[in-house]
Amino acid sequence: MLEILKKAVNEDSLTSTPLMSDPTHEWADYCELVCLISSDSISSEDIKKRVGISADFEPKDVIERSKSLREDKISGIVEDAFSLMRLRQSLLTDMYPFVVNEDGQVSESNVSYSHKQIIYTLLLLSANLKYVKHFNNFTSDFEVICLYSMRSFLPNANVKLFGSSNVCSLGDEDKFINTKLKQRCQELGEFLSIDIHNDTINLIPEKNLGDGGLDIVATIDMNDKRISHPVFFAQCACGKDAWMQKQLSTSHLEWDKWLHTYQTSIQNYIFVPSFLMTNDKEWIDKTDITHAILIDRFRILTLCNEFDTTVLSLNNL
């Protein structure tokens, strides 16, 4: 699977570096991607050279800086990225698939990729879809990883994939089978043991094969079929900053048009493949987190128990 992941990286796209204004975690990801496709270790100087020839590093309308000021800016950005990679290594230990030295060198782990290291690499690619081929495979596999992560911290819950992604490798017990949103909403009411709004559900077009913004749903069986029990909704958001706009897509405010959400209490989660941690071990910007519990790459890796990676669809690449 590791070779499949490496082949999924679009090397030509890596000639375009992140922008000067992009956060450090995106630069750290970029360095890891470059290392992933390199036959040898890479250095901070290698990344600086890539920035030097990238036409995208600075906005086109920025007046040309003096060479020394520009080089200082590049050095600061790259050094911050390498510092963040060292933090990732210290926090994740053997789950981190790279070795970052104090002298500014990064290489792949000397041991064969472990289960968690493969998951880390898949999350890295899922967070940087502009650098990968066949991104639909990664969005689907990201949902599978999130499904298992949610089962890990909700061991007593019944957790199923509601999203419209075609994950053929999952069993029927792992997902809602019907492809039409109307029928799946009806099944969702039964699954959650709460009433539905038939009048509004019947307005959903038959040709709507979407998921209404809901990717994973979980409920805890209280040994009866009565209302008022724990319910958990989750959205899986790949790509840059997509999660910020999707935090309310699984809230009761959105779903009470189809479900009697007042009959239960929905806890709202959003999973992201990005590593949204600063060098100070804080969220990138905690003010962006609203109305949802955010599960990023670090949390996914610490939550996701071992599972058979053959359920992933990357062999379709």
Side-chain angles (χ1 to χ4, degrees):
M1 181 173 287
L2 176 59
E3 291 305 313
I4 295 173
L5 289 170
K6 289 184 177 182
K7 289 178 181 178
V9 180
N10 184 347
E11 294 189 36
D12 291 338
S13 68
L14 287 174
T15 58
S16 175
T17 67
L19 298 176
M20 176 175 59
S21 57
D22 285 336
T24 303
H25 74 91
E26 293 184 21
W27 280 93
D29 280 3
Y30 177 81
C31 295
E32 292 172 359
L33 288 169
V34 172
C35 182
L36 189 66
I37 64 166
S38 300
S39 56
D40 201 355
S41 63
I42 64 166
S43 67
S44 55
E45 293 302 317
D46 293 328
I47 300 299
K48 293 174 187 177
K49 289 177 183 177
R50 282 177 172 266
V51 176
I53 63 174
S54 173
D56 297 324
F57 176 67
E58 291 178 323
K60 301 295 187 296
D61 59 346
V62 172
I63 298 175
E64 184 66 27
R65 299 166 181 265
S66 69
K67 184 177 180 180
S68 60
L69 288 176
R70 191 175 192 277
E71 288 178 349
D72 288 345
K73 181 66 175 178
I74 293 172
S75 293
I77 289 172
V78 175
E79 293 307 322
D80 284 346
F82 271 68
S83 177
L84 185 55
M85 287 189 289
R86 284 192 287 271
L87 175 64
R88 293 177 179 184
Q89 179 177 250
S90 67
L91 291 174
L92 293 172
T93 61
D94 58 358
M95 292 186 284
Y96 190 63
F98 305 100
V99 176
V100 190
N101 298 323
E102 291 295 333
D103 59 356
Q105 295 281 335
V106 57
S107 60
E108 288 186 78
S109 174
N110 292 325
V111 298
S112 299
Y113 268 44
S114 67
H115 173 87
K116 285 292 184 73
Q117 288 173 334
I118 287 175
I119 292 177
Y120 182 97
T121 306
L122 193 145
L123 294 173
L124 171 65
L125 295 176
S126 299
N128 295 276
L129 297 178
K130 66 179 181 179
Y131 294 124
V132 303
K133 311 166 189 173
H134 310 294
F135 65 86
N136 286 334
N137 294 77
F138 289 92
T139 55
S140 295
D141 287 323
F142 178 54
E143 289 182 6
V144 175
I145 290 174
C146 295
L147 175 76
Y148 282 90
S149 298
M150 206 158 182
R151 284 177 174 169
S152 178
F153 69 84
L154 294 174
N156 297 319
N158 187 358
V159 186
K160 299 184 74 169
L161 186 69
F162 186 84
S164 57
S165 295
N166 184 22
V167 187
C168 299
S169 52
L170 288 178
D172 291 352
E173 71 281 0
D174 296 315
K175 60 185 179 180
F176 284 72
I177 306 301
N178 207 300
T179 58
K180 295 181 178 181
L181 179 59
K182 178 188 290 186
Q183 280 72 35
R184 272 190 294 152
C185 284
Q186 293 168 341
E187 294 172 10
L188 180 60
E190 296 178 10
F191 177 72
L192 299 177
S193 298
I194 61 176
D195 297 327
I196 62 175
H197 295 295
N198 282 303
D199 52 346
T200 53
I201 287 180
N202 287 331
L203 294 176
I204 301 175
E206 287 289 337
K207 62 182 179 181
N208 188 335
L209 306 181
D211 53 33
L214 176 59
D215 291 319
I216 301 172
V217 59
T219 183
I220 295 178
D221 185 4
M222 307 298 284
N223 295 319
D224 58 30
K225 292 296 183 181
R226 293 178 295 174
I227 64 171
S228 186
H229 54 276
V231 171
F232 310 85
F233 280 4
Q235 166 71 248
C236 306
C238 288
K240 179 180 178 179
D241 298 336
W243 65 273
M244 295 182 190
Q245 290 76 43
K246 294 183 176 181
Q247 291 180 79
L248 290 176
S249 66
T250 54
S251 72
H252 71 91
L253 297 173
E254 184 66 25
W255 279 84
D256 64 5
K257 63 188 175 189
W258 292 325
L259 305 173
H260 289 243
T261 56
Y262 65 85
Q263 294 179 342
T264 187
S265 179
I266 297 175
Q267 195 167 72
N268 191 21
Y269 290 81
I270 186 155
F271 287 83
V272 297
S274 297
F275 202 110
L276 299 178
M277 185 184 292
T278 67
N279 277 311
D280 297 325
K281 300 182 183 179
E282 293 288 347
W283 289 107
I284 299 301
D285 188 348
K286 60 185 178 182
T287 61
D288 290 329
I289 305 172
T290 57
H291 307 293
I293 296 173
L294 183 58
I295 311 292
D296 70 342
R297 188 187 310 166
F298 175 74
R299 288 184 167 182
I300 290 172
L301 284 161
T302 55
L303 288 169
C304 191
N305 289 330
E306 300 288 318
F307 68 93
D308 186 355
T309 53
T310 59
V311 303
L312 302 177
S313 61
L314 289 177
N315 57 335
N316 294 327
L317 287 175

